[in-house]
Amino acid sequence: MREYKTRLLTGDSLGIQEAAALLRAGELVGIPTETVYGLAANALDGGAVGRIFTAKGRPQDNPLIVHIADIEGLPPLAAEIPELAKKLAKAYWPGPLTMIFRKSALIPDEVSAGLSTVAVRMPYHPLARAVIRAAGVPLAAPSANLSGSPSPTTAAHVMADMAGRIPAVLDGGECAVGVESTVVDITGPTPCLLRPGGVTPAMLAAVAGGVSVNPAVVNRLPDGAVAASPGMKYKHYAPKAHVVLVRGTPAAYAAFVNSHRTEPVTAMCFDGEEGALRVPYITYGRREDSAEQAHRVFDALRRLDEIGAGTVYCACPPEEGVGLAVYNRLLRAAAFEVIDVDG
Ligand code: TXA
Ligand code: MG
């Protein structure tokens, strides 16, 4: 792999032009979106897309999301656009929603990882859309982290993982949502949720009249099962620490954590509940504020590694609304290890 002196580009028109020029030349650029930072390449250039897998250390069988700036960008990428997709796009694009289409002949195999489908999203972030427009091509972009580590929600997170591996990162500040987009299969009569995100099941149902949830969203895939969304089969978002999710009331959580206070443990807890704890802690938002938890969860997981945390007892988030996405990411960070502490 080539070595780069990675530049941090400012989020102004000069930075946008520099990012677009690199992308047109087949290079990779870290770009901000409202969900997480993406590691972008020209989606129509199989060679450029191939470099994403090398830079991230990503398994070759995990397909990428293609990002467009305007609805006119969709028809060339999809072999067919179902009515349901049109309705969902009207309601939630631009935004944190990815839909799976049958792919057109334009999509290189490197993007779809051999599948006959392609995932497409129109991000809301103005810098993301400005870069797509300036590049003049759709952009394939996975999250801009090294494969397996927590997704990046600041340019500094991208630098921590990608410095030396890519020519540039475009700085767009902190990502507003903080967890990756909702991924839905729209080939049936109602959407099927493959990955929860900022567009919640209730929001999908409000437009589509119903929604189904793939069992892999909150369950470990049985050995040998084929994942509807290949990304769901990998251990994901994992810090180096050993994370355990602890489900229970604030009092039961505190009692459980404190019973381990003579061990080298760290708590990942809700804001306002840290006063009851007798161990070191990191907070990730108030218990009832799922949006704040989504915004902070990946940064908290990265900070646990910075402080060299060994075992982390993480307070289990409520699963309502965007909380389902927070729970889904933490379940994977914990490799599905959950302890119930309510009597
Ligand atoms: O918010 C996001 O979606 C971010 C930003 C950068 O847009 N991107 C992102 O990409 O999270 P990535 O590669 O980390 O996750 C893409 C997910 C994976 O779980 C992948 O398996 C799934 O989407 N996916 C991609 N193409 C698919 C397809 N054709 N069928 C099913 N799942 C697909
Ligand atoms: Mg990812």
Side-chain angles (χ1 to χ4, degrees), residues 31 33 35-39 56 58 61-65 67 96 98 100-101 111-112 115-119 121 123 141-145 151 179-183 194-195 227-232 236-237:
I31 63 164
T33 83
T35 57
V36 301
Y37 275 73
L39 184 59
K56 269 186 71 102
R58 182 181 177 100
D61 65 345
N62 195 4
L64 304 175
I65 296 172
H67 297 71
T98 296
I100 312 287
F101 299 89
V111 168
S112 48
L115 298 177
S116 57
T117 51
V118 62
R121 151 163 135 81
S143 49
N145 51 286
S151 293
V179 291
E180 306 89 336
S181 61
T182 303
V183 179
L194 302 181
R195 179 177 74 180
S229 188
M232 290 200 293
H236 239 121
Y237 321 113

